[in-house]
Amino acid sequence: NFAALGASSLKMGAGTWSLTGTGTVWDAGSGILTLDAGTSKIIIANTGSVDKTFNGGGLSYHDLENAATGIGTVTFTGSNSFNAFTADPGTKNIFAHGTTTAASAFSLAGTGANPIALASDSAGSAFTLSQASGTVAGTYLTISDSTAAGGATFNAAHSTDNGGNTAWNFTLGTFNVSIAEAASAADSDSAAAIFAAAMAEAASASDGETPSRTQAAGIAESASGTDAVNGARAFGGVLAESLAAS
């Protein structure tokens, strides 16, 4: 663990700082640490069940990765900024309400088996994630009380909106986009190719957000016909019915 003891300065250089402890794994204090982050990377590495806290002291860091994939949470306090902020699949990321965590690039890619949790330390009181430009391509997230800001587009595909969120785009991911592309394709060969890829995804899906394998097989048969564009459009109704039923 790291803790600033009184007024001090820290030059982090180009190395990796691996935090393997529990409790307050990083404590920059409040206004007492002068930081030169260099091109360093901080990894919160303890995967145990004990909760951890990263008190950034409102400073600017280079890269941070939360790799604490165990039962324990990691709480981030202070309005800190990063070059890159990465949360690994299965991590539980708690942010102090009223704070803003800014990054040039957020990486928030969970999985169906190991979603990423983003939540406030006080239910009903929001925290802010800010990225100036581009797109945050979040997948398999569980989000509550989060405000997305800064100018970037914040997407959350295959994710759960637990309320209190602002400016997040909750979507079904690439599957429904593929269907829309197929439906608007100018020629049936292109439509069929796009549609077939969508069907392959549907047939292998197990997350409950895409049609069943049986439905997918039936639609795949339809996609082999000569009118793939109309077939794709028709599938929109099947898809909507399937999602409503689930």
Side-chain angles (χ1 to χ4, degrees), residues 102-113:
S104 297
F106 284 97
S107 179
L108 306 171
T111 66

Side-chain angles (χ1 to χ4, degrees), residues 55-236:
N55 173 24
L59 299 173
S60 296
Y61 297 85
H62 194 249
D63 294 349
L64 180 140
E65 177 183 359
N66 181 9
T69 57
I71 298 174
T73 63
V74 176
T75 298
F76 296 91
T77 64
S79 290
N80 312 300
S81 63
F82 302 88
N83 173 59
F85 183 103
T86 300
D88 286 358
T91 56
K92 301 168 183 64
N93 304 267
I94 311 298
F95 298 87
H97 66 283
T99 64
T100 297
T101 297
S104 297
F106 284 97
S107 179
L108 306 171
T111 66
N114 294 290
I116 295 169
L118 305 173
S120 171
D121 66 346
S122 178
S125 298
F127 66 94
T128 298
L129 298 183
S130 178
Q131 181 174 307
S133 61
T135 299
V136 178
T139 57
Y140 294 100
L141 307 176
T142 300
I143 314 174
S144 56
D145 300 316
S146 175
T147 297
T153 299
F154 281 73
N155 293 332
H158 306 293
S159 297
T160 301
D161 181 353
N162 278 337
N165 299 307
T166 302
W168 281 92
N169 301 315
F170 289 87
T171 71
L172 292 177
T174 58
F175 177 77
N176 57 331
V177 173
S178 296
I179 296 302
E181 289 175 347
S184 61
D187 63 89
S188 60
D189 287 342
S190 295
I194 296 169
F195 200 57
M199 287 309 96
E201 180 180 348
S204 62
S206 60
D207 58 16
E209 293 178 336
T210 47
S212 69
R213 293 172 186 267
T214 300
Q215 290 169 314
I219 298 302
E221 181 178 353
S222 173
S224 65
T226 58
D227 193 358
V229 174
N230 287 334
R233 288 181 177 142
F235 179 66

Side-chain angles (χ1 to χ4, degrees), residues 38-54:
T39 57
S40 62
K41 181 177 184 177
I42 297 172
I43 300 178
I44 303 173
N46 187 294
T47 60
S49 60
V50 179
D51 296 341
K52 276 76 67 177
T53 297
F54 181 92

